[in-house]
Amino acid sequence: MTALDEQPGSPAHVLELVANGSAASRADLVRELGLAASTVSARVQELVEAGLLTESGEGASRGGRRPRLLRVADRGAVALAADLGSHHIRTGAVGLTGGARDTDDQAVDLTAGPEPALDALAERLGALAERQRAAGRTVRGVGVGFPGPVDADGARIIAPSRMPGWHLFPLRDRLADRLGLPVLLDNDANMMALGEHRAAHPTRRHLVVVKAGRGIGSGVISDGRLYRGARGSAGDISHVRVDEAARLPCSCGNIGCLETVASGAALATALRGQGLAVDSATDILRLVENGEPHATTLVRQAGRDIGAVLAVVVNFFNPEAVVLGGALAGAQPLVAAVRGVLYERCLPMATSELTIDAAACGPDAGLLGAGHAVLRRTAGTGATATAAAGRD
């Protein structure tokens, strides 16, 4: 598996339109896609034969014969999903309908290099695959979100900050060899954007989804599809220069990056400098909830800094929604500060209908995005993919 994006009118795109409620019949699909009825019927038939859609019952007539209704068929097919952080791995199984199941978190230090992390990831996913098969489910593939840049082909990691040894590491292929399953790899913020869009904002066409945790990243949904840019780096706001950072050195080798003042890692370092015991974003949230003044002030300023960068993004891209995810999005002072800066600095035309909210899917957003990306991709291979997956 390579790129995440399904082509307009492909079986994967048809499946997505039915899954997100945009279309409930073949006639709806014809109107949504602008394709010939015969082409849409061929796509639907392929998905029905693959066991991914069912067609039954009758909908409301619009002047002709009552249409048969399309529904996503959950026949036990799942994708394994992994959301990687710099110091943890979260795994789960994702079906065509519903949320993530059988989720689990494990402390893994990705900064120690790729080989130990690959061993831990393959072990967790291998055990998860066995549990799904024992429950009678078919495992179609694996989706992985990585906390760093991924090349345009979705095969290798490209120069991730704070992670020596990972540059050019072929994670997708190495993991596929270990598991005997197709693997889809992308940046963790992109996977979160896919998950939030699919589960919480399916009717919105233009979104920016920010992941604010130990690091900072964002994923961009443009015209209903993930936008990755020419080389896969679209949405990387972490290394935009901000005034508050002045000349602070960044792990990327530059100075003054947003990450140096607004990431969870930067906030934890600053709070330890105040004599507070802080190791993770969870510790930061606890301090804010307890009203600790230094933590609250730093988190609020981090929100302003993130908002300053997003203001440029909103004025340029004009999304319908900005969604704030990741561990730090649980801090209301940060969300409120981002919202305040966007309304202050953006054009009224850009914010008149803009929504700015915390993510709805919590820690499972990345899993949902990774899992559904795999299921959509395997939908594009039709009945042949289903037959092959059934032999797992």
Side-chain angles (χ1 to χ4, degrees):
M1 294 188 184
T2 54
L4 291 179
D5 305 312
E6 67 272 9
Q7 294 300 312
S10 68
H13 190 200
V14 170
L15 180 65
E16 181 66 12
L17 289 174
V18 176
N20 68 26
S22 297
S25 67
R26 298 187 188 212
D28 290 344
L29 288 168
V30 170
R31 284 189 291 272
E32 284 284 332
L33 297 170
L35 299 176
S38 58
T39 301
V40 169
S41 291
R43 299 285 190 272
V44 169
Q45 191 59 36
E46 182 178 350
L47 291 165
V48 170
E49 290 176 356
L52 298 171
L53 286 182
T54 62
E55 195 171 24
S56 62
E58 292 185 337
S61 171
R62 295 195 179 188
R65 188 172 61 184
R66 292 165 68 88
R68 301 183 72 194
L69 296 177
L70 295 168
R71 294 183 178 86
V72 173
D74 190 350
R75 293 174 52 182
V78 297
L80 308 182
D83 184 20
L84 277 58
S86 59
H87 288 79
H88 80 278
I89 292 173
R90 182 172 176 83
T91 56
V94 177
L96 288 164
T97 58
R101 59 166 67 100
D102 212 359
T103 59
D104 186 49
D105 281 283
Q106 180 183 12
V108 176
D109 185 3
L110 267 65
T111 66
E115 293 296 344
L118 175 63
D119 290 341
L121 183 59
E123 180 182 354
R124 303 300 296 182
L125 290 173
L128 179 61
E130 291 306 312
R131 290 196 297 273
Q132 301 312 304
R133 291 170 180 140
R137 303 180 186 112
T138 299
V139 179
R140 291 189 175 276
V142 179
V144 178
F146 183 85
V150 175
D151 69 12
D153 293 328
R156 298 181 299 178
I157 311 303
I158 303 295
S161 300
R162 307 183 310 277
M163 293 186 188
W166 281 94
H167 180 53
L168 299 182
F169 186 76
L171 180 59
R172 183 193 68 189
D173 296 341
R174 291 285 300 275
L175 187 60
D177 290 343
R178 295 280 290 268
L179 297 174
L181 290 166
V183 174
L184 192 61
L185 172 68
D186 205 344
N187 171 265
D188 59 344
N190 283 345
M191 293 301 197
M192 174 177 278
L194 286 171
E196 280 290 321
H197 181 236
R198 169 72 171 75
H201 304 277
T203 61
R204 288 182 169 161
R205 308 295 293 171
H206 308 284
L207 288 86
V208 174
V209 180
V210 177
K211 184 173 184 179
R214 189 171 185 85
I216 301 175
S218 72
V220 179
I221 301 293
S222 177
D223 198 22
R225 302 172 64 203
L226 178 69
Y227 180 74
R228 302 182 75 243
R231 295 288 296 163
S233 66
D236 188 355
I237 63 173
S238 186
H239 300 291
V240 174
R241 185 171 295 190
V242 294
D243 292 340
E244 188 69 19
R247 299 187 61 81
L248 292 174
C250 181
S251 57
C252 72
N254 213 326
I255 58 172
C257 297
L258 176 65
E259 179 177 295
T260 64
V261 290
S263 66
L267 296 179
T269 298
L271 289 170
R272 285 195 296 270
Q274 298 286 341
L276 297 169
V278 177
D279 292 320
S280 65
T282 301
D283 295 332
I284 297 171
L285 294 182
R286 174 179 50 79
L287 291 172
V288 172
E289 289 169 359
N290 289 336
E292 206 291 321
H294 294 299
T296 303
T297 298
L298 286 175
V299 164
R300 186 175 287 118
Q301 183 59 51
R304 293 192 188 100
D305 294 332
I306 294 170
V309 173
L310 289 178
V312 178
V313 174
V314 168
N315 278 331
F316 178 80
F317 177 53
N318 188 205
E320 296 165 88
V322 171
V323 180
L324 302 173
L328 290 181
Q332 281 303 311
L334 182 140
V335 176
V338 171
R339 185 181 290 116
V341 171
L342 289 181
Y343 283 124
E344 175 188 343
R345 299 193 183 187
C346 293
L347 295 171
M349 186 176 181
T351 58
S352 60
E353 297 183 4
L354 178 71
T355 62
I356 308 160
D357 288 307
C361 298
D364 286 343
L367 297 182
L368 293 173
H372 286 303
V374 171
L375 293 170
R376 289 200 300 269
R377 177 49 53 91
T378 57
T381 60
T384 302
T386 299
R391 294 192 295 268
D392 284 349

